[in-house]
Amino acid sequence: MSVLEPASTRTVADIDGLDLEHALTGLHELLVMSLTMLQRHDVDGVIDVLARGVESATGCTLVHVNFQRHQEWTTLPPGEPTRPAEPIPPTGERVFVQDHGDSWTSTTSVTVANGVPGQLVLRSSTRPDPEQLFVIERLGDLLGTALADAQVHERHRRRAHELYAANNEMARTVAALQHREGVLEEFARLSTTGTELD
């Protein structure tokens, strides 16, 4: 009696040129990144997660991210241009791919709520395939959400710090006024009775 070998579970589905196994691997890495990114409550932490995880999710390396932070353009990591070089051409695609001879760059938009879209620029040694472009586009969306969330947390921390400082200043002012009131009451009592308190 012969035993039939089970059907392979490694069958790759190919729909419209998209290698689903490859895309799902990238999306799995993207899901892991999203869980970590959204737990980082400061912009530098989000960029750190991006820099560490972008290659495993997309197969590309991070060049830089441009976005508006507190109404000013920020580029991370530092040292790159401080504004998006030029808008993404209206090709109908959300990821603009450019050949630089020895490498390729992929640029997608990073939209932070109520802000002008920034750019996420990645580099690869070969032209990104459709799966990579799909994941890169999703990464731009995720990064925009994570940056917006981190900036909200930063604003809340800054306001909490300002309120704490204002409360401390008010407490010092109230203590000084209470001391002054106590001194004035003592002078008033002395002027009417001529005796000091024990």
Side-chain angles (χ1 to χ4, degrees):
M1 179 168 99
S2 61
V3 178
L4 295 175
E5 194 172 307
S8 172
T9 57
R10 305 256 322 143
T11 303
V12 175
D14 187 11
I15 300 174
D16 294 332
L18 187 69
D19 178 346
L20 289 184
E21 181 181 10
H22 189 121
L24 289 174
T25 300
L27 287 173
H28 176 266
E29 294 296 329
L30 197 59
L31 175 63
V32 172
M33 280 180 71
S34 70
L35 293 173
T36 309
M37 269 186 181
L38 293 171
Q39 291 172 355
R40 298 298 188 270
H41 298 317
D42 60 85
V43 169
D44 294 333
V46 170
I47 299 299
D48 183 54
V49 172
L50 173 72
R52 285 186 286 115
V54 70
E55 191 163 0
S56 62
T58 67
C60 304
T61 57
L62 176 65
V63 176
H64 64 267
V65 180
N66 288 316
F67 62 98
Q68 278 195 338
R69 184 181 192 183
H70 311 305
Q71 306 302 320
E72 292 185 9
W73 283 102
T74 300
T75 301
L76 296 171
E80 294 291 333
T82 56
R83 290 185 63 87
E86 49 189 75
I88 297 172
T91 60
E93 300 293 327
R94 289 195 50 212
V95 182
F96 175 62
V97 180
Q98 193 171 14
D99 184 0
H100 297 280
D102 60 341
S103 66
W104 293 78
T105 57
S106 305
T107 304
T108 191
S109 63
V110 175
T111 305
V112 179
N114 300 324
V116 179
Q119 293 179 334
L120 167 63
V121 182
L122 305 176
R123 179 178 292 125
S124 56
S125 58
T126 59
R127 181 181 177 87
D129 56 32
E131 301 82 48
Q132 287 174 294
L133 295 176
F134 179 75
V135 174
I136 290 168
E137 182 181 336
R138 300 283 80 76
L139 180 58
D141 296 337
L142 165 65
L143 181 58
T145 301
L147 287 172
D149 184 61
Q151 289 189 67
V152 166
H153 281 278
E154 286 182 342
R155 275 197 304 275
H156 287 171
R157 279 198 303 274
R158 189 172 61 250
R159 287 179 186 157
H161 180 71
E162 289 167 358
L163 284 172
Y164 180 76
N167 283 340
N168 282 344
E169 184 60 31
M170 188 174 287
R172 284 191 293 272
T173 301
V174 168
L177 288 172
Q178 287 173 338
H179 175 71
R180 183 175 179 182
E181 185 181 344
V183 169
L184 290 174
E185 284 177 1
E186 178 64 12
F187 278 135
R189 194 190 60 72
L190 278 171
S191 65
T192 57
T193 64
T195 59
E196 295 183 19
L197 286 176
D198 293 334

